[in-house]
Amino acid sequence: MRAESLVSTDAQQQILAGRTLLLIVGGGVAAYKSLDLVRRLRERGARVRTVLTAAAARFVTPLSFASLSGERVFDDLFSLTDEQEMGHIRLSREADLVVVAPATAHLLARMASGQADDLATTLLLATDKRVLVAPAMNVRMWLHPATRRNIAQLRDDGVLFVGPEEGEMACGEFGPGRMSEPLAIVAAIAAALPGAGRQSLAGRHVVVTSGPTREPIDPARYLSNRSSGKQGHAIAAAAARAGARVTLVSGPVEIDDPPGVETRHVETALQMLAAVEAALPADLFIGAAAVADWRAEPAPDKIKKRPGGAPPSLVLSENPDILARVARRESARPTLVVGFAAETRDMIANAEEKLARKGCDLIVANDVSAAAGVFGGDANEVHLVGPDGVESWPRLDKSDVAARLVARLAERLSQAECAR
Ligand code: CTP
């Protein structure tokens, strides 16, 4: 699922039209892509006010941004005219969303430490709006422990990220660090804007698990399953569009991180459990991952075939049940805990049994037999199994299942809180 496809172009148009975006351009080669970003945003009816850092103005000219955005461009905190005509507080308060693209390692470091030594960082410190950043830097800078620390800090502060992508970089190296393409940033902006869709989850924190887990047997082999992560990722994206702060804990999948969502990548069930526990507290937990039930004690070296010898036997131990652990927490239990039941037979009976055994509030049951074609496919046919009965939905696109589920859970969340 490409990031762009998570919010259709029509929906983007609806969300972006009439919105004011404050675009902060950092000083990196990728700054030229932000010119195209402005064009794409304007095409969708958004108003874009641009602030260039001093370094950005060496890569792209304020005039280019002024011509494309049809707005004057701001680049100096201490310009008296700016302060009289448009104080920096007003500049950030009047925006619906602040977007930093490209966000260089230096700019991220200044944001993480709360500096306010130029107009860009002053605005970022003064804003009461959501901030979405599109990092762009050399792969070694991206992977440096200092940048990792700054990013962890910014994520904790609620800053949203889109990208970076992996690929060939301007400096000739290969790896993560390339700024996301303008259309992917547009999709992330549409997902992050307050009022994108009904803001039924505004102010909520939602934790979603998605994808398979991978349990190593030796350095070359692992146990896993066929989960694609499409349904879980679509739910995370839908929750973000409904205004939630979303933490997605994802096993290894082939699809992109959803825009506007904090994604934590893990491999094993134990890592997934640790990432989920670190992400709590939350209002809503949705366990959509196909967590491997068992893990092996991985051999330190690759297990070799012995000609004529018996095949090795695997000694497996049971993985913790993440869903049950979250549902049975004594402290910081999310108000709603939702699990999935992937079944090939006796779907409803099995789902009811799981609901009771795991102590969750709702089970989304689906038929994953080969005939249903759910694994890896784009459609899903689900049944919501709760203590008060079963509701069956027709076969829908996974993104429609996600949107409906999020709407339903938002209602239940409000009801559960009213009943307290
Ligand atoms: N789950 C989990 N941690 C596990 C196993 C499952 O969090 N170790 C969650 C899944 O994310 C899903 C739900 O539990 O939301 C159902 O998973 P499933 O594998 O179908 O249930 P099991 O209890 O493992 O039952 P079985 O494999 O026998 O069907």
Side-chain angles (χ1 to χ4, degrees), residues 269-357:
L270 291 178
Q271 290 167 355
M272 187 171 272
L273 175 65
V276 164
E277 287 186 334
L280 295 178
D283 300 284
L284 180 55
F285 174 80
I286 305 169
V291 184
D293 288 320
W294 303 284
R295 67 179 180 279
E297 185 58 50
D301 294 309
K302 191 173 168 218
I303 303 169
K304 302 298 284 181
K305 286 192 292 294
R306 291 209 170 45
S313 44
L314 287 178
V315 181
L316 300 177
S317 41
E318 197 168 325
N319 271 328
D321 190 315
I322 301 167
L323 177 64
R325 290 262 187 117
V326 173
R328 300 212 179 275
R329 280 176 73 94
E330 305 231 315
S331 68
R333 183 196 191 272
T335 311
L336 278 185
V337 177
V338 180
F340 270 70
E343 306 291 346
T344 52
R345 56 193 301 175
D346 303 329
M347 188 167 37
I348 303 299
N350 279 327
E352 281 170 343
E353 183 275 327
K354 268 175 205 169
L355 183 75
R357 174 162 51 88

